[in-house]
Amino acid sequence: MRIVEPTAASIEEAARLLHEGGVVAFPTETVYGLGGDATNEHAVAAIFEAKGRPKFNPLIAHVPGAREAQRFVQWSNAADRLAAKFWPGPLTFVLPRAERSPIALLATAGLATVAIRAPSHPVAQALIRAADLPIAAPSANRSGSVSPTRADHVAESLGERVPLILDGGSCPVGVESTVLDLTGETPVLLRPGGATHEAIQAVIGPVALSAALPTGSAARSSPGQLESHYAPSRPVRLEATSVSPDEGLLAFGPYPPAGARMTSNLSPTGNLAEAAANLFAQMRALDRPGIGRIAVMPIPQTGLGLAINDRLRRAAADDGAKRRG
Ligand code: AMP
Ligand code: MG
């Protein structure tokens, strides 16, 4: 496995690997992606194999922009208005598969819909354009662990399972894209992410929140039902306003409680965009020997706070599985 600077030559090499059905890790503005040719069933299978995904979740197809997307999905008026505002950027649309769409069936888990997005990161854009292919790309980590926001996170998680990592530094948004289902009468937010619920509603009006999202009360009453997707290997305790000496504190804002073994502050000024960008790297940094549990201060449930709290609740919900081993 090689970690390389993104240059014209290394991007060409990555594009060649994609054409040969191989996988490549690359930076996006959200998190690092593990990319493969979305039209090649074997390449998509290679993504699942490298991630060690237990089941075939549908993947997001990455394209340069709205014009290219229309080859693969049945575009809509809402998609058009949202793309004008958010693309390229951290917003994924779920739309009906276009007639004769070449997207691999494995990439959509056999569904009649396709999840599609245009990433804004210049390296992602350059790679997609150089390959001239839609690129299926989930986060570039082994299944069940914390998403990578730096090239070294990818290397640590995937090792020799990925031949080439394009190193674009830290991902500026830091949480995954917002996934928006545009197939029904009312748009439904399936996953909170880098584009906020409020900003989307400002463009297209009411957007429902998926009933499957872990709200505060659901997280407490039925933790077993949450997908353990964003899990450090230590237990996670949410809404912490005080700490014990064996805990590592993931703080937010200017007044973290004292007494933790180690404290990492997502944003001392209480800025949610800064907190999102720091979230996964700081969760990793606290997930280390000498720390018994990760305590997390309350994060406001507005704007990017929705995405941050979603990832934190999933991380906390995995505690049962950790205790069972
Ligand atoms: P990841 O690959 O880890 O970024 O996750 C992709 C997200 O998009 C997951 O939450 C998937 O369930 C969701 N997704 C992808 N394709 C579809 C689809 N066709 N319908 C609904 N959700 C989808
Ligand atoms: Mg992931």
Side-chain angles (χ1 to χ4, degrees):
M1 176 259 299
R2 282 181 303 136
I3 300 182
V4 298
E5 289 294 311
T7 61
S10 64
I11 286 169
E12 268 313 314
E13 180 187 354
R16 261 199 316 280
L17 277 169
L18 292 174
H19 272 274
E20 291 162 4
V23 296
V24 170
F26 65 99
T28 79
E29 70 278 20
T30 61
V31 302
Y32 274 75
L34 181 66
D37 174 0
T39 68
N40 178 339
E41 304 279 353
H42 298 284
V44 176
I47 295 173
F48 286 115
E49 189 176 33
K51 279 187 68 74
R53 269 212 178 166
K55 53 182 181 4
F56 295 146
N57 305 0
L59 305 181
I60 297 167
H62 295 76
V63 293
R67 193 166 50 80
E68 294 83 358
Q70 294 172 46
R71 254 188 79 206
F72 308 115
V73 294
Q74 292 173 36
W75 201 241
S76 74
N77 192 268
D80 218 44
R81 273 149 57 211
L82 288 167
K85 168 89 183 165
F86 291 95
W87 277 18
L91 178 59
T92 296
F93 304 140
V94 173
L95 287 164
R97 177 183 270 278
E99 242 180 275
R100 286 189 295 276
S101 174
I103 300 290
L105 289 172
L106 189 55
T108 61
L111 296 172
T113 53
V114 174
I116 197 156
R117 145 172 131 85
S120 65
H121 197 291
V123 176
Q125 277 283 333
L127 177 62
I128 298 166
R129 288 179 190 277
D132 196 20
L133 289 169
I135 298 180
S139 56
N141 55 280
R142 291 286 282 174
S143 185
S145 66
V146 176
S147 291
T149 54
R150 293 197 317 239
D152 61 301
H153 297 160
V154 178
E156 185 187 295
S157 189
L158 292 177
E160 294 306 320
R161 295 178 185 92
V162 58
L164 191 68
I165 303 172
L166 295 173
D167 185 354
S170 290
C171 300
V173 175
V175 290
E176 294 85 346
S177 63
T178 300
V179 180
L180 186 67
D181 182 349
L182 292 176
T183 61
E185 191 94 341
T186 306
V188 180
L189 198 145
L190 300 178
R191 175 175 76 180
T196 68
H197 190 204
E198 295 91 329
I200 294 167
Q201 294 198 121
V203 177
I204 53 165
V207 171
L209 289 178
S210 166
L213 288 176
T215 64
S217 58
R220 272 186 282 279
S221 64
S222 57
Q225 296 183 355
L226 298 182
E227 241 191 304
S228 64
H229 216 101
Y230 301 92
S233 60
R234 277 157 190 74
V236 175
R237 179 170 74 88
L238 301 180
E239 310 289 336
T241 49
S242 61
V243 284
S244 56
D246 72 319
E247 287 182 322
L249 176 65
L250 194 59
F252 178 80
Y255 308 112
R261 167 129 331 152
M262 179 180 166
T263 294
S264 196
N265 200 326
L266 290 170
S267 173
T269 60
N271 179 311
L272 288 167
E274 184 186 22
N278 285 330
L279 179 67
F280 291 132
Q282 293 195 3
M283 261 164 75
R284 280 169 187 272
L286 290 172
D287 193 18
R288 58 192 266 173
I291 286 178
R293 185 164 61 180
I294 299 172
V296 187
M297 285 178 70
I299 312 283
Q301 183 72 347
T302 58
L304 285 174
L306 222 63
I308 296 170
N309 283 320
D310 174 80
R311 307 308 186 269
L312 287 170
R313 282 167 187 152
R314 288 173 199 276
D318 192 46
D319 287 2
K322 274 172 219 155
R323 281 192 295 273
R324 285 193 300 276

